[in-house]
């Protein structure tokens, strides 16, 4: 990311990778209930037994219904897999972004938007290749409905059981289910998120609107979250539906998208838009602000 404080030394790639993974975990801890609500709204309409009898209306209505019928812990179902995902995922797609951008630009300081987009696509695809199993397990846990105060009606006993069960019942390929739409989704998300953040932060610093501190990071992250939600929501819904599907329910991601279009209409691709925006917007703010602060703290600690 552009611009470090004048008194700060440039962080190494290892520092960026560690800082991004840690910041991703912090952001997930804060925004996970919103992400779970988003998943529930996205799969609504599939007529699956696990969600039968529960009609979700809006992000806060979904959260209220989940707390009432399943207990508060349901909002954090899949959190362990979510944290595992961020340590693999955010560390690669965000932590390696500057390195890949410099590689493509040949070290030039004048980096065009095409190079930034290519770097975002590259790190997004790389991250999915590493983190896809954790994403599949996270979505499965978020989608399953529990009876309040018990574990009845759940598909998996725990995170490790989920990995084992999916590999046993669906094969190793089951852990990479939805990998192609996820690569597509995260290439789009990475480009929208990182490139928007990168450019807006650069413009703010270039025109001396703010200094390279928290208000600048907050503003750039807020804008990045809004742009990302608009662009990525359709692919995100298809990804969630496909990864949560039972074997044979869809022939592939394209069939999943076509089925949604025929049965539910175009608006199905923007199901869960409000929680997606609330989640992505807040996630971006917490993640980027945390990332910048952790990165600087680690650099300073190394040089004490």
């Amino acid at each position: 990311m552009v611009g470090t404080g004048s008194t700060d030394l440039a962080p190494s790639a290892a520092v960026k990778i560690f800082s991004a993974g840690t910041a991703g975990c912090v952001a997930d801890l804060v925004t996970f209930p919103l992400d779970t609500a988003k998943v529930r709204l996205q799969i609504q309409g599939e007529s699956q037994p696990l969600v039968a009898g529960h009609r979700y209306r809006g992000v806060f209505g979904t959260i209220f219904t989940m707390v009432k019928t399943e207990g508060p812990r349901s909002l954090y179902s899949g959190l362990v897999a979510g944290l595992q995902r961020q340590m693999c995922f955010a560390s690669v797609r965000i932590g390696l972004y500057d390195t890949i951008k410099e590689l493509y630009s040949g070290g030039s300081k004048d980096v065009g938007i095409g190079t930034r987009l290519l770097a975002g696509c590259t790190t997004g695809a790389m991250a999915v290749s590493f983190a896809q199993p954790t994403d599949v397990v996270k979505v499965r846990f978020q989608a399953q409905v529990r009876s309040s105060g018990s574990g009845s009606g759940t598909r998996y006993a725990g995170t490790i059981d989920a990995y084992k069960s999916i590999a046993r019942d669906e094969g190793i390929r089951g852990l990479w289910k939805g990998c192609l739409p996820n690569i597509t989704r995260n290439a789009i998300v990475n480009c929208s998120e990182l490139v928007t953040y990168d450019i807006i932060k650069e413009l703010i610093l270039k025109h001396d609107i703010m200094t390279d501190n928290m208000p600048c990071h907050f503003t750039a992250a807020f804008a990045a979250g809004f742009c990302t939600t608009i662009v990525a929501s359709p692919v995100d819904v298809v990804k969630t539906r496909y990864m949560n599907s039972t074997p044979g329910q869809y022939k592939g991601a394209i069939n999943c998208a076509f089925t949604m279009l025929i049965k539910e209409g175009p608006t199905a691709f923007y199901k869960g838009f409000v929680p997606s925006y609330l989640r992505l917007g807040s996630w971006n703010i917490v993640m980027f602000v945390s990332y910048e602060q952790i990165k600087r703290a680690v650099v300073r600690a190394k040089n004490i």
Side-chain angles (χ1 to χ4, degrees):
M1 252 36 89
V2 297
T4 54
S6 59
T7 60
D8 292 333
L9 296 174
S12 65
V15 169
K16 291 177 182 177
I17 290 170
F18 170 79
S19 300
T22 305
C25 289
V26 172
D28 252 24
L29 285 169
V30 174
T31 64
F32 207 79
L34 293 171
D35 191 38
T36 302
K38 177 204 74 172
V39 169
R40 292 292 182 90
L41 285 166
Q42 286 177 337
I43 65 171
Q44 188 163 258
E46 285 186 309
S47 299
Q48 290 200 20
L50 287 175
V51 294
H54 296 278
R55 181 68 183 174
Y56 302 119
R57 298 182 183 278
V59 56
F60 297 111
T62 300
I63 291 174
F64 177 78
T65 299
M66 289 179 64
V67 171
K68 182 179 179 181
T69 60
E70 305 170 53
R73 291 180 61 186
S74 65
L75 297 174
Y76 282 91
S77 183
L79 177 62
V80 173
L83 296 179
Q84 291 170 349
R85 175 179 179 268
Q86 290 302 335
M87 287 307 298
C88 299
F89 188 69
S91 59
V92 173
R93 79 177 183 92
I94 298 169
L96 285 179
Y97 172 74
D98 283 337
T99 302
I100 299 298
K101 184 176 69 174
E102 290 170 9
L103 178 66
Y104 286 155
S105 66
S108 172
K109 292 184 178 180
D110 186 19
V111 183
I113 190 169
T115 302
R116 298 175 201 258
L117 290 172
L118 185 58
C121 287
T122 301
T123 59
M126 289 170 60
V128 172
S129 300
F130 289 114
Q132 184 67 9
T134 62
D135 207 6
V136 171
V137 171
K138 179 181 80 78
V139 167
R140 297 280 181 96
F141 269 103
Q142 289 176 314
Q144 70 182 5
V145 175
R146 295 172 178 265
S147 297
S148 183
S150 71
S152 60
T154 60
R155 297 165 83 171
Y156 310 110
T159 305
I160 300 301
D161 177 62
Y163 288 118
K164 290 180 178 178
S165 297
I166 293 171
R168 182 184 64 245
D169 300 337
E170 304 174 39
I172 295 298
R173 290 179 62 184
L175 290 169
W176 269 266
K177 189 172 187 177
C179 190
L180 183 59
N182 211 13
I183 286 176
T184 303
R185 183 251 184 195
N186 281 293
I188 294 171
V189 166
N190 232 32
C191 288
S192 304
E193 194 174 83
L194 292 178
V195 175
T196 301
Y197 180 84
D198 207 12
I199 291 174
I200 291 177
K201 181 182 173 185
E202 190 175 77
L203 289 172
I204 289 172
L205 297 177
K206 182 179 179 180
H207 294 284
D208 295 322
I209 299 171
M210 300 176 189
T211 58
D212 189 10
N213 285 308
M214 197 173 294
C216 171
H217 306 154
F218 180 95
T219 303
F222 183 87
F226 182 74
C227 293
T228 303
T229 308
I230 293 175
V231 173
S233 278
V235 182
D236 191 33
V237 174
V238 173
K239 179 212 77 166
T240 299
R241 290 280 187 101
Y242 186 60
M243 289 199 307
N244 185 58
S245 64
T246 55
Q249 185 176 354
Y250 301 116
K251 294 179 181 178
I254 295 176
N255 175 252
C256 177
F258 184 73
T259 302
M260 285 173 57
L261 181 63
I262 296 299
K263 291 186 175 181
E264 303 172 55
T267 57
F269 293 99
Y270 280 91
K271 279 193 172 182
F273 180 82
V274 173
S276 287
Y277 173 63
L278 289 174
R279 193 262 174 179
L280 267 177
S282 57
W283 193 92
N284 270 268
I285 291 167
V286 176
M287 197 289 302
F288 279 118
V289 170
S290 298
Y291 174 58
E292 299 281 8
Q293 298 305 312
I294 292 170
K295 186 170 59 175
R296 291 180 179 184
V298 172
V299 169
R300 288 167 180 165
K302 285 178 65 179
N303 290 280
I304 289 177

